[in-house]
Amino acid sequence: MAASSQTGMSITLEFSGGAELLFGKVKKHHISLDESTTAWTIKKLLIWVKDNLLKERPELFLQGETVRPGILVLVNDADWELLGELEYEIKENDNIVFISTLHGG
Amino acid sequence: MPVCCAACSGKAVLKRPKTGDALCRECFFHVFETEIHHTILDANLFTAGETVAIGASGGKDSTVLAYVLKLLNDKYDYGLKLILLSVDEGITGYRDDSLTTVKRNQKQYDLPLKIVSYEELYGWTMDAIVKEIGLKNNCTFCGVFRRQALDRGAVLVEADKIVTGHNADDIAETVLMNVLRGDIARLRRCTSITTGNEGYLPRCKPLKYTYEKEIVMYAYFKKLDYFSTECIYSPNAYRGYARAFLKDLEAIRSSSIIDIIHSGESLSIKKDVKMPTQMTCLQCGYISSNKVCKACVLLEGLNKGLPKLGIGKGLKARQKLVAAGMTLTNTESQSTSTESTAVLNTDKQSLEF
């Protein structure tokens, strides 16, 4: 609730479709983002993910400052392409899902 | 800033790569299924009463294909008998896991399931083949054997047709690959929705125009149960580059994928380009562009303890064969390179049928 926003912002990240293999095979991560003077955008989140969660082969998840083409991103079950992609401002309790489409069919 | 659905003004959940439309969940399901239905109708893919074997790997594409075909068959009364058909290559820790998924799908979708294995068909599992040949060229074996295994399985269940989960991204990628390799015979036919009419069972690709993004989104929203892990035996590097290139193009302009398919469909090949002729394998009777099919050559090599026998091109391969005492006469008959690329072309990596 309101109290949690003082200690940071809680959100859930999910990795699937094979993307979880780059995150120690863990699909669901509950994380807390520190309070910050600038808003937490997905662009900023990706840097955080790279520094804090990504276990191996970052080039399979990131390309430049964005996700590797072929990885789908959903925020609260909506396509991030409808929400401003990297510029989307993350809110408390957001659920952000990364699905790889690059793994076999 | 909620975006509204272009069709019903509900809450949009997805931007369609093909059209750029924002759609809500229900409208997305509707257009996704209806487009596949129209693809099936426009190409006259099925006739009532047919038995259709769905090549099922447990991956996203074939899982969505099985789900949607079952749904359309019921909804539009196609009158098809659907069967899930899986190939067990014998890859521990990979195919055994994905087959578990197919077995769950069998229950979830209430469809019969037939599994054929490399071991029963060829006497070799991929695990055993890799022990012989190592991690180079092993995908050639797997691809050649899988294509045939699927056909043989389909014959066993008395299917009239095989459908596979190849999606628009796969087809576009194959067009690119064939251009890069100069494989004109395959460039000409790789965009066809149905292949194989001339020989074995016809194979169709009902998801030919369906973007991978939409397949994955559909599976996600429908909570379909699919398996996603890379094969443990070496990915196909060349195809990987083509894939990455295509995905980069899609990120810049999402119509690229359908545009490449359109280019492939519209190409016409000069009359004087030499095409391989199709014949029947003298040993097993399977369709082949040589007197003895690639699978038989590879198998012969394995059984003689010369696993590299069928690998390589033209003259060299022929010399190896003659040295191994295989009874082949025609020099033309040994241009095995055409056939090995064939398999890599039709089978993306090694997961997809």
Side-chain angles (χ1 to χ4, degrees):
Chain A
M1 302 272 286
S4 65
S5 64
Q6 288 175 347
T7 53
M9 181 163 55
S10 308
I11 62 167
T12 310
L13 302 181
E14 282 181 58
F15 302 94
S16 66
E20 70 276 14
L21 301 175
L22 306 172
F23 294 86
K25 296 188 182 170
V26 180
K27 286 197 164 183
K28 207 164 190 165
H29 301 253
H30 298 283
I31 63 162
S32 177
L33 299 171
D34 290 340
E35 224 171 328
S36 157
T37 48
T38 56
W40 274 99
T41 56
I42 294 194
K43 188 193 246 176
K44 198 166 149 188
L45 173 74
L46 289 177
I47 298 167
W48 187 93
V49 165
K50 187 182 178 205
D51 294 340
N52 293 279
L53 285 183
L54 197 53
K55 294 273 193 292
E56 55 182 295
R57 295 176 288 171
E59 72 279 7
L60 294 187
F61 187 69
L62 297 167
Q63 185 169 315
E65 62 180 16
T66 188
V67 292
R68 189 178 171 212
I71 293 178
L72 306 180
V73 185
L74 293 106
V75 179
N76 303 324
D77 275 358
D79 190 351
W80 77 328
E81 290 183 40
L82 299 171
L83 302 169
E85 304 190 19
L86 289 172
E87 305 309 323
Y88 172 79
E89 281 187 26
I90 298 168
K91 292 165 196 64
E92 177 84 24
N93 295 326
D94 271 354
N95 181 50
I96 305 178
V97 181
F98 298 88
I99 313 175
S100 174
T101 65
L102 302 166
H103 289 78
Chain B
M1 41 164 188
V3 179
C4 292
C5 173
C8 76
S9 72
K11 182 188 172 252
V13 297
L14 157 129
K15 188 178 172 194
R16 296 200 73 197
K18 211 187 287 185
T19 59
D21 287 343
L23 292 181
C24 75
R25 198 181 283 219
E26 289 310 314
C27 291
F28 167 57
F29 291 159
H30 181 256
V31 296
F32 183 91
E33 292 155 7
T34 309
E35 274 189 11
I36 298 169
H37 173 58
H38 284 298
T39 303
I40 290 169
L41 290 191
D42 291 347
N44 255 323
L45 285 193
F46 308 122
T47 311
E50 283 181 332
T51 299
V52 176
I54 306 170
S57 67
K60 57 183 163 43
D61 302 306
S62 58
T63 301
V64 167
L65 178 64
Y67 178 88
V68 172
L69 266 192
K70 158 110 179 151
L71 183 146
L72 295 176
N73 192 34
D74 293 344
K75 186 173 173 183
Y76 295 103
D77 206 10
Y78 291 165
L80 302 176
K81 186 181 168 205
L82 301 173
I83 298 180
L84 297 172
L85 176 59
S86 293
V87 177
D88 182 359
E89 296 93 343
I91 303 174
T92 313
Y94 166 66
R95 185 54 91 211
D96 44 358
D97 290 351
S98 64
L99 284 175
T100 314
T101 312
V102 179
K103 284 172 192 161
R104 280 200 304 272
N105 291 157
Q106 173 195 10
K107 294 209 181 76
Q108 289 155 356
Y109 309 154
D110 189 27
L111 293 172
L113 166 68
K114 170 75 185 168
I115 301 175
V116 287
S117 74
Y118 282 7
E119 191 160 28
E120 62 181 286
L121 291 178
Y122 307 110
W124 289 81
T125 64
M126 271 315 288
D127 287 341
I129 292 172
V130 168
K131 256 189 207 153
E132 284 291 312
I133 189 131
L135 287 172
K136 215 181 156 211
N137 294 322
N138 56 305
C139 296
T140 303
F141 282 85
C142 199
V144 172
F145 287 168
R146 183 177 324 101
R147 183 168 182 84
Q148 235 189 57
L150 209 55
D151 272 329
R152 293 208 202 171
V155 169
L156 284 176
V157 299
E158 297 178 346
D160 300 292
K161 260 166 207 164
I162 300 171
V163 290
T164 59
H166 291 95
N167 59 44
D169 298 50
D170 297 330
I171 312 274
E173 182 185 293
T174 304
V175 172
L176 288 178
M177 293 283 289
N178 286 333
V179 169
L180 294 173
R181 285 190 177 125
D183 192 334
I184 307 306
R186 290 195 164 76
L187 180 59
R188 185 170 66 172
R189 66 170 178 256
C190 71
T191 49
S192 307
I193 193 162
T194 303
T195 54
N197 285 322
E198 64 287 336
Y200 248 63
L201 291 179
R203 288 186 178 220
C204 322
K205 307 179 190 101
L207 303 183
K208 179 189 166 185
Y209 295 114
T210 309
Y211 271 57
E212 187 159 69
K213 174 183 172 181
E214 296 198 357
I215 289 173
V216 173
M217 288 290 204
Y218 187 84
Y220 177 79
F221 289 133
K222 288 271 184 183
K223 295 189 172 30
L224 301 184
D225 183 8
Y226 71 89
F227 178 82
S228 48
T229 304
E230 220 53 82
C231 176
I232 54 170
Y233 297 136
S234 171
N236 177 345
Y238 200 57
R239 184 165 281 267
Y241 281 120
R243 189 71 161 184
F245 175 62
L246 188 71
K247 286 286 158 189
D248 285 346
L249 288 178
E250 185 191 13
I252 299 165
R253 196 171 61 113
S254 59
S255 67
S256 303
I257 288 172
I258 217 76
D259 294 341
I260 291 171
I261 297 178
H262 177 65
S263 301
E265 287 174 338
S266 313
L267 280 177
S268 67
I269 310 293
K270 280 195 293 187
K271 282 207 175 66
D272 56 352
V273 175
K274 206 176 155 220
M275 293 291 167
T277 44
Q278 219 140 53
M279 46 188 115
T280 319
C281 172
L282 292 172
Q283 294 198 358
C284 72
Y286 192 77
I287 41 158
S288 172
S289 44
N290 299 300
K291 288 194 170 176
V292 175
C293 77
K294 186 78 171 172
C296 283
V297 173
L298 290 173
L299 206 54
E300 177 101 2
L302 281 172
N303 291 334
K304 286 207 160 133
L306 298 162
K308 294 211 166 58
L309 195 62
I311 308 285
K313 299 191 178 191
L315 189 65
K316 242 186 185 168
R318 189 166 56 89
Q319 285 166 346
K320 280 193 284 182
L321 283 166
V322 171
M326 217 170 156
T327 48
L328 294 166
T329 46
N330 195 334
T331 48
E332 283 294 298
S333 69
Q334 286 316 310
S335 55
T336 46
S337 61
T338 330
E339 196 145 336
S340 72
T341 49
V343 173
L344 294 173
N345 268 346
T346 35
D347 296 287
K348 97 175 169 200
Q349 303 239 333
S350 48
L351 223 174
E352 176 66 33
F353 295 122

